[in-house]
Amino acid sequence: AKEHGKSRFKVFNQRMHEEALRTLELETDLRKASDSRELFVYYQPIVDLENETIAGFEALLRWKHSRLGFIGPDEFIPLAEDTGLIFSIGRDVLANACADAIRWGQLIASRYGRDARAPHVSVNISGKQLMQPLLIGEVESILEESGLEPGRLKLEITENVLMEHITLAEGMLARLRRIGIGLSMDDFGTGYSSLSYLRQFPIDTIKIDKDFISAAITDKESEAIVSTVVTLGRSLGLDVIAEGVETPEHLALLRMHGCRYAQGYLFSKPVPPAEAEAMLLEGFAS
Ligand code: C2E
Ligand code: CA
Ligand code: CA
Ligand code: CA
């Protein structure tokens, strides 16, 4: 038994060692990644269910490591936060997203006329970024350089980040709001906020987390939560987006509860910018 325990410890120890090495390697490589164009943005459409058009796109960061292939943002964003790289990476994502949104506006105008509604772009902002007061000036200067109307940019901040730093977050959100951009509470329902915080934070959109959407099919309580959030959102004048819409059943349930916006694999997975443009030009019929 002693031998056994010892070897198990050795295996465990080796795995920890390997993980630490991978983290170290990824951190080093991440430093070089933005210069070597290994980091880029994909877009996933957010669909307006009322008229089956694309209301906007969410920018989702991708890292294609030269040797390891695609590495998910859930793995490398925390590393970017730990190393402080998130600030320069985040700025690049924002600049790219605003420049692409300008192109979408031009494409839409040339295809459907000047009065056609151009899609917005949603950009994820991590906790570190939100707590950095320089973010405000950066957003302002990126908007100015790109020429994008502030109303066409939305920042997505997870419920947990907001709840961990309520007072600071409230102040930052208020300042961002004054610029005229939109603010979404991301992953709603996964954190520990109460519905009353929806009124406290100056947000205009709630994104219902994908776990609720999939659970709502079989679980009455999850369905009740989805329904409640949709109703509450409407009475507070907030847009509600359902995330992780994967099947026609998910969509039917959301329509039944009057949810206006949806995002998920049923419509499209996140795609490269050129494909997002093609989707816009085709007009959207899913
Ligand atoms: P998120 O903001 O909640 O983004 C939604 C995630 O769900 C994305 O994963 C997206 O690809 C995935 N998804 C979309 N539709 C479906 C669906 O129908 N089913 C399922 N199962 N998943 C779906 P992704 O791209 O791997 O991003 C993971 C997280 O990484 C994001 O979660 C976001 O928190 C973070 N992230 C991504 N890009 C950025 C960024 O530029 N900056 C920051 N700070 N965080 C980012
Ligand atoms: Ca998001
Ligand atoms: Ca989310
Ligand atoms: Ca998430």
Side-chain angles (χ1 to χ4, degrees), residues 58 60 124 156 158 185-188 207-210 243-244 263:
E58 177 175 4
L60 292 158
N124 292 286
E156 299 195 356
T158 63
M185 190 184 269
D186 204 350
D187 297 354
F188 186 76
K207 299 189 79 172
I208 310 178
D209 190 74
K210 53 178 172 283
E243 296 189 306
Q263 184 181 355

Side-chain angles (χ1 to χ4, degrees), residues 68-80:
L68 301 169
F70 276 101
I71 296 169
D74 284 329
E75 181 171 11
F76 73 78
I77 294 288
L79 303 182

Side-chain angles (χ1 to χ4, degrees), residues 216-259:
I217 297 297
T218 50
D219 172 32
K220 283 286 159 209
E221 273 169 31
S222 299
E223 184 178 356
I225 289 170
V226 170
S227 159
T228 304
V229 174
V230 170
T231 307
L232 193 81
R234 189 179 303 128
S235 64
L236 294 175
L238 305 172
D239 286 338
V240 178
I241 303 174
E243 296 189 306
V245 179
E246 294 182 345
T247 67
E249 288 74 32
H250 293 162
L251 181 58
L253 183 131
L254 291 166
R255 283 196 191 279
M256 186 174 81
H257 291 293
C259 182

Side-chain angles (χ1 to χ4, degrees), residues 1-285:
K2 204 173 174 192
E3 278 299 297
H4 185 62
K6 211 170 165 186
S7 69
R8 282 228 327 237
F9 176 71
K10 223 162 112 189
V11 169
F12 177 62
N13 210 3
Q14 182 171 344
R15 173 144 18 97
M16 279 185 41
H17 183 67
E18 277 163 11
E19 270 169 23
L21 273 184
R22 180 177 163 98
T23 301
L24 208 63
E25 187 190 2
L26 290 184
E27 279 182 6
T28 310
D29 293 347
L30 195 54
R31 258 171 238 286
K32 298 175 272 180
S34 21
D35 301 329
S36 59
R37 292 170 190 238
E38 287 179 16
L39 288 178
F40 41 86
V41 173
Y42 271 27
Y43 292 102
Q44 186 178 38
I46 296 164
V47 178
D48 183 341
L49 299 178
E50 250 171 40
N51 47 21
E52 307 253 318
T53 57
I54 296 177
F57 287 99
E58 177 175 4
L60 292 158
L61 193 55
R62 294 291 176 262
W63 180 12
K64 194 170 181 202
H65 191 280
S66 55
R67 201 166 45 78
L68 301 169
F70 276 101
I71 296 169
D74 284 329
E75 181 171 11
F76 73 78
I77 294 288
L79 303 182
E81 288 205 293
D82 290 347
T83 51
L85 289 167
I86 192 67
F87 299 115
S88 62
I89 292 174
R91 207 184 308 121
D92 288 348
V93 171
L94 207 52
N96 269 297
C98 289
D100 286 333
I102 285 284
R103 278 199 42 86
W104 303 335
Q106 292 164 346
L107 285 175
I108 288 285
S110 67
R111 182 83 150 71
Y112 302 101
R114 294 237 149 261
D115 293 336
R117 208 185 156 85
H120 74 262
V121 69
S122 285
V123 176
N124 292 286
I125 294 292
S126 76
K128 276 262 172 69
Q129 289 172 278
L130 186 68
M131 297 309 136
Q132 164 65 266
L134 289 175
L135 176 71
I136 312 286
E138 271 176 23
V139 169
E140 281 175 324
S141 64
I142 288 171
L143 284 170
E144 206 173 283
E145 277 160 34
S146 66
L148 187 70
E149 276 167 65
R152 288 186 52 212
L153 173 65
K154 287 180 190 275
L155 299 186
E156 299 195 356
I157 301 140
T158 63
E159 180 189 22
N160 277 336
V161 162
L162 296 181
M163 294 306 297
E164 274 159 25
H165 317 268
I166 294 178
T167 314
L168 206 56
E170 243 189 292
M172 284 296 279
L173 294 188
R175 292 173 68 190
L176 288 165
R177 210 42 191 170
R178 254 174 262 139
I179 301 175
I181 66 173
L183 298 171
S184 307
M185 190 184 269
D186 204 350
D187 297 354
F188 186 76
T190 57
Y192 41 89
S193 73
S194 67
L195 294 173
S196 66
Y197 282 103
L198 288 178
R199 258 181 52 232
Q200 183 168 344
F201 290 115
I203 54 164
D204 51 64
T205 304
I206 316 168
K207 299 189 79 172
I208 310 178
D209 190 74
K210 53 178 172 283
D211 289 351
F212 284 99
I213 308 306
S214 52
I217 297 297
T218 50
D219 172 32
K220 283 286 159 209
E221 273 169 31
S222 299
E223 184 178 356
I225 289 170
V226 170
S227 159
T228 304
V229 174
V230 170
T231 307
L232 193 81
R234 189 179 303 128
S235 64
L236 294 175
L238 305 172
D239 286 338
V240 178
I241 303 174
E243 296 189 306
V245 179
E246 294 182 345
T247 67
E249 288 74 32
H250 293 162
L251 181 58
L253 183 131
L254 291 166
R255 283 196 191 279
M256 186 174 81
H257 291 293
C259 182
R260 174 149 181 203
Y261 299 97
Q263 184 181 355
Y265 298 159
L266 176 65
F267 306 104
S268 168
K269 61 186 198 314
V271 295
E275 275 180 55
E277 286 179 12
M279 232 182 261
L280 264 186
L281 285 176
E282 279 160 20
F284 200 77

